[in-house]
Amino acid sequence: MFLINCPYCGERDQSEFSAGGEAHIVRPKQPTELSDDKWAEFLFMRKNIKGVQLERWNHTHGCRKWFNMARDTSNDKIHAVYKMGEKPPIK
Amino acid sequence: MMSKNLRIANSNFIDQTSRISFKFDGKILYGFKGDTLASALIANDIHLVGRSFKYHRPRGIMTCGSEEPNAIVQVGNDASMTEPNTRATEIELYEGLEASSQNCWPSVNFDIGSINNFFSPLIPAAFYYKTFMWPANFWKLYEYFIRKSAGLGKSPTQPDKDIYDHRYLHCDVLVIGGGISGIIAAKTAAKNNLNTVLIDDKNNLGGTTLFQQNECFKINNSYSNEWLKKEIETLDSIKNLTIKTRTTLAAYHSYNYLLARENLTDHLDLNEKKDKIRQRLWKIRAKKVIIATGAMERPLIFNNNDRPGIILSSSIKKYIDYYGVKCGQKISLFTNNDSAYETAISLSNSGVSINSVIDIRDKSNSLIVKQAEKLGIKIHWKHTVVNTNGYKKINSIEIMKLSDDGTAVVGKKIKDECDCLGISGGWTPRVHLFTQSGGKLKFRDVDNVFLPDKSELDQISIGSCNGDLELDEVIKNSVNSINKFLNVNNNDYKNLEIISSKEIDKKNIWLLPSDKPFGKTKPFLDFQNDSTANDIKLALREGFKSIEHVKRYTTTGMATDQGKLSNMHALGIVAETANLKMGELGTTTFRPPYTPLTFGAIVGRNVGKFFDITRRTPIHDWHVKCNAEFENVGQWKRAWYYPIENESMHEAVQRESKAARDSAGILDASTLGKIDIQGSDASEFLNRIYTNAWSKLEIGKCRYGLMLNEDGMVYDDGVTTRLGENHYIMTTTTGGAANVLGKLEDYLQTEWPELDVYLTSVTDHYATVSICGPNSKKILSKVIPDLNLSDKEFPHMSFKNALIDNIKCRVMRISFTGEHSYEINIQSSYGKSLWEKCFEAGKEFDITPYGTETMHLLRAEKGFIIAGQDTDGTMTPVDLQMDWIISKKKYDFIGKRSLYRSDTIRDDRKQLVGLLTDDPNEVLEEGAQIVLETKKQPIVMLGHVTSSYFSPNLNKSIALAVVKNGKKLKGQKMFVPMKNKTINVTITDTVFFDKENKRLNA
């Protein structure tokens, strides 16, 4: 069970949070101009890497804010948490 | 009544003045306070406590702790409190304890199943997998008999009456294990101002050192146990230190999150347990963790090594030194290491006669062996036990000399009479918790042990669980590790003078040879699951190579003890047979819990009405009073229907449905999700969320909206009302409310943070009373006389603020039934009085309360969908024939682009249609398949029924369905094949009743 450092509330138990999949997938500004393939890429294609992955998380049972997290999927180590709109602090 | 005197007088840990009576297999026996069930049974000369799982061989107590594979008993005989599969070695004796053997019938002494033992050559590894594979349809028959003969204990048949609890605990340092190294660690941490918790699964601290009184193990000129006793005495005065005994660490997760089960009343007398919390599950967050869980002794694997009376050597020592109980009158010991000599010396000092020690090594010159020799104990060097005799209890062993390479036996057989055999195959560090936490192990060749290597967490292992098996190493290495780990400098243990016997000569043979050929022997590996070394070799011959596969195929290590005693030997035999190095083979993974947890401890107080939240509307009590049956919708209890006298559900729903259309009906709609939306960009936000356009909606008007997922599929629906320029109230489905709010927040925070919009869930803040039917207008005019209800002033799909008895409320003229209808929203606390007021006003019109079932029926007559019933996450608005709700003008909304993907524009998608049965009285089953052709196989399934009712207003059966290419099939005859008949149906329009919507304005 992770201990997650919510950027707004501080360290809280994982049970207060929910995961929201891969981060930094921006909704296209002009979806109507995309080909089926390009739209499908936005809609369906997600990475599932072994190693540090950038993910969206929501403090569902807390401040209800969305934020991003850099988590190593091989050992669950959280390398960084950062607010929506901020650049990932690590590569 | 004791047949033999198996107690010695001088135990420091057992109160021999307080006698306790208990029952085992129906027989009344006596023990003392401080005994475990196991020690009390042995003191009563009872060794046979169970039958083995597969062959039903007699099995006895083998250990004194959590690794016990055999002495698995059922405790209690109350239908709600009985507990199966508990270890007799861990049950503290209490007045009134009742326990019984498992896996035997009719009794442990005469067990019918033991016939399996004679057929054992016919029951090899994976016997069940191989035999009951065919013929496949016989499985039902096989299963009955297998289930009957399989399984260990009996489950309780009544709900558990005990109270269980959960608590959180935060600390700087958690020390797991209160042996000598754990005590040093806890003391060091606490003295350095760290908030420290020390837990141990026994009822007192001290581990095995607590009863180690031997010339070969001394600290500062005292026996090690005396030195430790003084250390323990000082713990009470230390601040920052919490000690929890009878607390078992069950699971060690990442981020130093741990679960521990504390036994609070299991050791108390039957009459003292009442009304107290039985067990508490601690959820621990520790900044640092020190694992000091010790090591456990290994058995030896030789022919017939499973008879009652064969006990781990260190356990025999604990029974004599701690409990004051003799495991036998004439004991032999069989070993490959020095520790059995400690047992021999303890026994000899307590006056128990020792036959001999059989040691597979050529020699040993350590301090402890010399001391044993000095006491005149006979040692057979380089010998092995090749067989044991005695059915229900061991009575003799057969010994032979080992060949030089250890693979065979030579010379003459010696027969030795004994009533107990102690075995010691060396030590296995308890690395279970370390591996549970994700730590990786390394292998040490010299004594064949896996040791903690790398860990990602802030933790260390110290003492014998870290491979330090000698007293001086335990202390010196632990002190160094602790100082480094905690970054402190504790000099209390720096200059101790320690005497410790050192083991120099080591030898190990995983599977000991016998004079009998290998196939004729029974060398047991996993005692609980009854698998032998032969099974392992068979699995290897049959081509299994991975240890994980061998384990599953033979079930070695898969019993309730998780192979605590068997895993190392299984690995060893696989490595030897496959000619691999032990370290390269890897290990199996230990999973939580370390010892089985009760379900009670896991669920804690979340049982019965605390299992989940129950949400009730403010009008709930009225529904109860009026005999409503309730339906669960998410966490809500909704009135389902209101039967009068002996009405069936069908009769009640038919009556309610008719009344609502003939005169007036009243529905509690308070559970609908309500989201208050404000902000200067509220209209723009709704434009992006819903498929239709919102900017031009006038203030005071309502509009129905469909919400899609980004993939174009319908997600939720509801009516949204514009209350002001920048103020809307959105309704959602009852079950979808929380998810819709979450989804809206997600888009606002992540995709469109520039929008000025504020969302507030107000579902619980308003009660909603819905009145429908041709007389609804008359009723409302009685309830709110000053409100102008003319169609011009208050048309369909509009809203008015109003006052009822000076209480503000919102009235919407909207309809889910197709009738002229109003929804009144009022502050929750006034919900019930408003409902009663409306009901009173409606009495002259026979206003009829109706529930969710009638609501569903009425809307189906109108062809209105229910998101989640007529949709399933694969339906677009076009599939629902709701093209009219998709704005053509809007540039974008959630899901728009997906509405013209190659897949969503296919003609032959499943589409929503109406269905009429040829026989108007035949009501279809929801979920029934729809086909066009019943003769030609395979039959192509074209769709299924999503909603189906008998309509009292049309006097015929109606249904909604999704059918492939359904839009173009209007008038098409189709079939619904059922189990014993085929129903003829015709595809129709989805609207069955009042197609012109005349009644909305009636």
Side-chain angles (χ1 to χ4, degrees):
Chain A
M1 192 90 84
F2 315 164
L3 203 55
I4 298 174
N5 189 14
C6 169
Y8 303 94
C9 309
E11 281 194 336
R12 293 287 193 281
D13 193 278
Q14 188 190 340
S15 58
E16 295 184 12
F17 297 83
S18 38
E22 193 182 338
H24 302 294
I25 295 176
V26 182
R27 187 174 189 272
K29 285 271 178 288
Q30 294 164 320
T32 43
E33 274 145 54
L34 297 181
S35 66
D36 269 14
D37 283 353
K38 282 278 173 211
W39 178 249
E41 203 170 290
F42 157 73
L43 205 53
F44 302 121
M45 304 315 276
R46 296 293 182 271
K47 286 188 209 116
N48 184 17
I49 38 181
K50 184 178 179 183
V52 178
Q53 179 165 285
L54 305 178
E55 301 172 334
R56 281 154 35 92
W57 282 74
N58 183 228
H59 196 182
T60 325
H61 302 289
C63 64
R64 291 190 70 85
K65 284 281 196 188
W66 283 91
F67 58 92
N68 291 325
M69 178 193 288
R71 180 178 68 100
D72 192 326
T73 56
S74 66
N75 58 16
D76 286 339
K77 200 168 172 188
I78 298 169
H79 291 279
V81 288
Y82 53 104
K83 293 179 180 175
M84 279 291 157
E86 290 179 356
K87 286 216 169 76
I90 56 162
K91 251 286 168 207
Chain B
M1 196 182 66
M2 291 177 201
S3 52
K4 299 169 190 167
N5 188 11
L6 293 166
R7 289 273 181 186
I8 57 167
N10 61 347
S11 165
N12 295 321
F13 305 97
I14 301 297
D15 179 4
Q16 295 204 9
T17 59
S18 68
R19 205 171 77 145
I20 286 176
S21 74
F22 68 103
K23 260 188 187 172
F24 183 72
D25 281 341
K27 213 166 130 189
I28 295 168
L29 301 165
Y30 298 96
F32 298 114
K33 198 136 202 106
D35 263 329
T36 59
L37 175 60
S39 68
L41 286 172
I42 296 173
N44 283 282
D45 201 21
I46 295 173
H47 281 261
L48 172 60
V49 287
R51 291 277 176 160
S52 75
F53 187 63
K54 205 156 100 180
Y55 306 123
H56 292 254
R57 283 168 70 104
R59 290 281 163 81
I61 297 156
M62 203 180 156
T63 72
C64 58
S66 60
E67 62 270 40
E68 176 63 39
N70 286 343
I72 306 294
V73 298
Q74 182 98 24
V75 175
N77 60 7
D78 183 311
S80 61
M81 318 272 257
T82 183
E83 189 177 349
N85 304 345
T86 53
R87 292 155 301 285
T89 49
E90 290 198 304
I91 301 165
E92 289 181 53
L93 206 64
Y94 56 84
E95 185 67 45
L97 170 71
E98 285 188 44
S100 53
S101 308
Q102 297 183 167
N103 205 32
C104 52
W105 185 84
S107 80
V108 70
N109 274 302
F110 177 72
D111 175 21
I112 296 247
S114 63
I115 196 153
N116 281 4
N117 189 34
F118 297 101
F119 295 136
S120 63
L122 302 176
I123 316 178
F127 166 73
Y128 290 88
Y129 299 147
K130 289 169 180 165
T131 310
F132 298 113
M133 287 287 292
W134 41 260
N137 52 358
F138 269 39
W139 173 246
K140 272 189 183 159
L141 188 71
Y142 291 146
E143 193 188 13
Y144 174 78
F145 287 103
I146 292 172
R147 290 224 183 275
K148 217 175 147 160
S149 62
L152 292 165
K154 285 187 210 80
S155 306
T157 52
Q158 296 288 311
D160 194 339
K161 283 184 227 155
D162 279 320
I163 307 165
Y164 300 84
D165 195 32
H166 284 180
R167 275 185 76 178
Y168 289 91
L169 191 152
H170 296 260
C171 59
D172 293 325
V173 181
L174 174 72
V175 183
I176 309 163
I180 187 164
S181 53
I183 287 167
I184 292 172
K187 220 171 146 179
T188 306
K191 273 188 157 178
N192 282 281
N193 287 324
L194 295 163
N195 168 16
T196 307
V197 177
L198 170 65
I199 65 165
D200 194 276
D201 59 353
K202 300 280 191 301
N203 58 353
N204 55 17
L205 299 177
T208 50
T209 316
L210 193 62
F211 48 92
Q212 184 179 54
Q213 188 163 338
N214 189 304
E215 289 292 335
C216 302
F217 302 97
K218 286 184 131 182
I219 304 169
N220 281 355
N221 254 332
S222 303
Y223 287 124
S224 55
N225 67 332
E226 286 167 359
W227 180 86
L228 185 65
K229 215 177 139 203
K230 282 191 194 129
E231 283 290 299
I232 294 171
E233 279 161 8
T234 63
L235 291 177
D236 283 344
S237 60
I238 300 177
K239 279 185 210 155
N240 303 322
L241 178 63
T242 310
I243 298 169
K244 294 201 169 298
T245 52
R246 298 190 174 100
T247 304
T248 309
L249 207 293
Y252 188 167
H253 298 289
S254 60
Y255 287 80
N256 277 351
Y257 178 72
L258 305 98
L259 297 174
R261 189 249 345 259
E262 183 180 15
N263 269 336
L264 296 162
T265 64
D266 279 354
H267 61 287
L268 297 182
D269 289 351
L270 216 47
N271 54 13
E272 291 174 352
K273 290 183 201 285
K274 217 173 170 272
D275 299 329
K276 293 192 181 109
I277 294 168
R278 182 187 171 203
Q279 294 175 347
R280 178 173 282 141
L281 192 72
W282 288 94
K283 301 176 176 185
I284 306 170
R285 286 268 183 204
K287 290 201 179 113
K288 288 170 176 282
V289 174
I290 298 175
I291 306 174
T293 45
M296 58 197 161
E297 199 170 31
R298 289 176 192 166
L300 287 164
I301 311 303
F302 54 98
N303 185 26
N304 286 323
N305 59 343
D306 67 326
R307 299 197 189 283
I310 300 181
I311 304 174
L312 293 180
S313 146
S314 62
S315 298
I316 294 177
K317 180 176 182 307
K318 181 162 185 181
Y319 285 119
I320 193 82
D321 287 345
Y322 184 96
Y323 299 105
V325 173
K326 296 184 251 183
C327 288
Q329 310 273 38
K330 223 177 155 203
I331 297 179
S332 292
L333 294 164
F334 181 23
T335 186
N336 69 358
N337 67 91
D338 279 356
S339 52
Y341 294 88
E342 239 186 291
T343 307
I345 292 160
S346 279
L347 289 169
S348 169
N349 288 344
S350 297
V352 181
S353 78
I354 299 166
N355 257 350
S356 62
V357 178
I358 301 106
D359 196 322
I360 70 166
R361 298 175 297 177
D362 296 352
K363 59 163 178 50
S364 171
N365 292 319
S366 62
L367 214 54
I368 191 122
V369 173
K370 280 183 185 151
Q371 197 198 351
E373 280 171 334
K374 215 186 289 172
L375 287 168
I377 293 165
K378 189 173 154 198
I379 305 169
H380 295 283
W381 293 109
K382 207 184 169 184
H383 273 64
T384 182
V385 176
V386 294
N387 193 17
T388 66
N389 301 302
Y391 184 58
K392 285 176 193 168
K393 172 101 187 269
I394 189 167
N395 56 31
S396 67
I397 56 174
E398 293 164 24
I399 308 165
M400 285 178 84
K401 196 168 186 195
L402 276 167
S403 66
D404 284 341
D405 64 358
T407 59
V409 282
V410 292
K412 262 177 75 177
K413 210 188 297 191
I414 311 163
K415 198 164 176 176
D416 221 358
E417 304 217 330
C418 63
D419 59 357
C420 173
L421 175 67
I423 51 175
S424 177
W427 293 85
T428 300
R430 292 186 203 254
V431 293
H432 305 67
L433 297 175
F434 175 79
T435 58
Q436 273 185 26
S437 76
K440 299 277 175 284
L441 299 173
K442 61 188 175 197
F443 190 72
R444 184 166 76 191
D445 288 306
V446 60
D447 53 355
N448 293 298
V449 291
F450 283 103
L451 299 175
D453 190 10
K454 288 193 193 93
S455 167
E456 302 273 349
L457 304 180
D458 209 354
Q459 58 152 267
I460 49 165
S461 294
I462 56 167
S464 51
C465 73
N466 196 38
D468 292 329
L469 299 167
E470 317 275 4
L471 182 66
D472 55 339
E473 282 174 13
V474 168
I475 296 174
K476 279 179 191 154
N477 294 347
S478 294
V479 169
N480 286 338
S481 300
I482 295 160
N483 280 347
K484 207 174 136 202
F485 180 61
L486 300 178
N487 198 16
V488 298
N489 194 13
N490 179 11
N491 291 318
D492 293 359
Y493 307 103
K494 272 271 151 78
N495 301 312
L496 295 179
E497 253 179 66
I498 304 166
I499 298 171
S500 175
S501 173
K502 293 290 234 181
E503 182 175 291
I504 302 142
D505 305 287
K506 296 179 194 292
K507 183 175 182 180
N508 185 51
I509 301 170
W510 292 115
L511 174 58
L512 292 154
S514 171
D515 55 331
K516 283 190 190 158
F518 180 64
K520 303 271 180 202
T521 58
K522 279 229 172 321
F524 282 91
L525 258 189
D526 186 318
F527 295 85
Q528 199 174 116
N529 264 355
D530 245 8
S531 54
T532 64
N534 309 23
D535 293 328
I536 298 270
K537 294 206 169 193
L538 176 71
L540 289 166
R541 279 204 304 279
E542 291 187 358
F544 292 93
K545 289 196 177 77
S546 153
I547 183 65
E548 295 288 352
H549 291 157
V550 170
K551 177 179 155 177
R552 279 157 184 80
Y553 193 60
T554 61
T555 71
T556 303
M558 294 181 69
T560 62
D561 59 351
Q562 280 198 57
K564 289 189 177 75
L565 293 184
S566 61
N567 278 343
M568 283 309 294
H569 289 91
L571 279 170
I573 292 167
V574 169
E576 244 171 33
T577 313
N579 215 359
L580 290 164
K581 274 188 83 178
M582 276 288 275
E584 291 163 6
L585 200 58
T587 54
T588 59
T589 315
F590 298 107
R591 307 208 187 269
Y594 176 68
T595 50
L597 280 178
T598 55
F599 283 115
I602 294 168
V603 297
R605 297 188 185 254
N606 303 325
V607 289
K609 62 179 176 177
F610 299 118
F611 182 71
D612 195 10
I613 292 163
T614 304
R615 298 172 82 182
R616 296 183 185 86
T617 77
I619 311 162
H620 186 84
D621 291 349
W622 191 93
H623 307 318
V624 173
K625 205 180 73 196
C626 291
N627 293 324
E629 292 290 331
F630 289 89
E631 171 181 38
N632 293 326
V633 183
Q635 291 167 330
W636 286 104
K637 295 271 174 213
R638 293 200 71 178
W640 195 11
Y641 58 97
Y642 301 80
I644 295 173
E645 286 164 4
N646 296 322
E647 261 183 345
S648 68
M649 175 172 171
H650 177 75
E651 287 161 351
V653 170
Q654 295 289 307
R655 173 182 51 75
E656 290 171 16
S657 301
K658 194 125 181 48
R661 292 216 191 279
D662 288 350
S663 177
I666 183 167
L667 171 85
D668 180 0
S670 308
T671 63
L672 282 185
K674 297 179 264 304
I675 300 169
D676 184 273
I677 302 173
Q678 302 193 41
S680 55
D681 293 317
S683 303
E684 171 61 18
F685 181 62
L686 290 174
N687 271 335
R688 299 186 191 187
I689 291 293
Y690 280 129
T691 61
N692 45 355
W694 291 79
S695 307
K696 287 185 184 152
L697 183 71
E698 286 170 45
I699 295 168
K701 288 280 154 59
C702 315
R703 183 166 285 172
Y704 173 76
L706 265 191
M707 204 180 281
L708 309 186
N709 268 328
E710 209 64 274
D711 62 5
M713 304 304 159
V714 172
Y715 179 70
D716 203 81
D717 67 344
V719 170
T720 295
T721 304
R722 190 165 196 176
L723 301 171
E725 176 63 25
N726 297 321
H727 191 187
Y728 291 84
I729 181 126
M730 171 190 277
T731 57
T732 72
T733 57
T734 298
N739 292 335
V740 168
L741 180 70
K743 185 179 153 100
L744 301 187
E745 285 179 331
D746 186 352
Y747 274 93
L748 266 184
Q749 286 180 36
T750 64
E751 297 294 350
W752 310 316
E754 71 281 5
L755 293 186
D756 176 40
V757 175
Y758 304 89
L759 306 170
T760 313
S761 166
V762 291
T763 304
D764 298 277
H765 302 60
Y766 293 98
T768 307
V769 177
S770 170
I771 310 170
C772 82
N775 286 317
S776 58
K777 195 180 193 171
K778 289 177 201 154
I779 296 167
L780 188 66
S781 70
K782 283 175 74 184
V783 177
I784 320 175
D786 358 340
L787 195 62
N788 185 339
L789 297 180
S790 69
D791 282 345
K792 192 163 171 264
E793 262 308 300
F794 197 178
H796 181 55
M797 295 308 266
S798 64
F799 135 86
K800 293 275 179 235
N801 280 311
L803 286 176
I804 301 176
D805 297 338
N806 268 335
I807 309 299
K808 280 187 197 166
C809 61
R810 292 172 180 158
V811 187
M812 279 88 168
R813 185 170 161 196
I814 51 178
S815 176
F816 191 40
T817 58
E819 292 299 314
H820 191 122
S821 153
Y822 300 93
E823 277 184 22
I824 313 164
N825 288 277
I826 198 161
Q827 190 182 313
S828 282
S829 48
Y830 297 111
K832 197 172 159 221
S833 30
L834 172 64
W835 174 277
E836 282 166 346
K837 202 176 173 75
C838 293
F839 192 73
E840 200 53 43
K843 265 190 177 161
E844 61 174 293
F845 306 101
D846 287 331
I847 193 168
T848 302
Y850 66 93
T852 50
E853 192 63 21
T854 292
M855 176 183 83
H856 288 172
L857 190 161
L858 295 174
R859 65 87 209 178
E861 288 178 339
K862 290 293 295 173
F864 296 150
I865 60 153
I866 291 183
Q869 178 166 342
D870 303 296
T871 70
D872 58 0
T874 67
M875 302 291 287
T876 70
V878 180
D879 297 338
L880 293 170
Q881 305 214 43
M882 291 170 81
D883 310 47
W884 54 271
I885 206 168
I886 306 165
S887 163
K888 304 239 162 27
K889 290 186 195 138
K890 282 200 295 184
Y891 180 69
D892 192 15
F893 57 80
I894 295 173
K896 173 164 178 159
R897 176 61 186 84
S898 292
L899 293 180
Y900 54 93
R901 289 177 56 235
S902 56
D903 185 56
T904 45
I905 54 172
R906 270 191 298 120
D907 275 345
D908 61 343
R909 289 178 63 83
K910 284 184 181 168
Q911 291 146 356
L912 189 76
V913 295
L915 279 189
L916 287 175
T917 45
D918 285 5
D919 173 0
N921 290 317
E922 182 78 65
V923 180
L924 296 168
E925 261 182 48
E926 286 173 1
Q929 295 294 316
I930 299 161
V931 304
L932 193 54
E933 176 67 62
T934 52
K935 304 270 171 343
K936 216 171 76 192
Q937 290 193 345
I939 296 172
V940 185
M941 315 231 207
L942 296 173
H944 65 273
V945 178
T946 58
S947 296
S948 173
Y949 306 91
F950 185 83
S951 160
N953 298 303
L954 295 158
N955 203 23
K956 65 180 177 192
S957 146
I958 56 164
L960 295 173
V962 292
V963 175
K964 243 181 167 184
N965 206 12
K967 267 188 204 177
K968 290 189 182 151
L969 293 175
K970 215 157 147 189
Q972 176 75 50
K973 295 265 179 201
M974 298 201 117
F975 305 101
V976 176
M978 301 303 291
K979 205 171 177 184
N980 41 20
K981 62 183 167 189
T982 296
I983 303 166
N984 298 342
V985 295
T986 308
I987 293 192
T988 67
D989 192 22
T990 52
V991 186
F992 300 98
F993 187 79
D994 184 27
K995 290 191 199 228
E996 302 81 24
N997 285 335
K998 280 186 193 153
R999 301 175 70 95
L1000 281 177
N1001 294 311

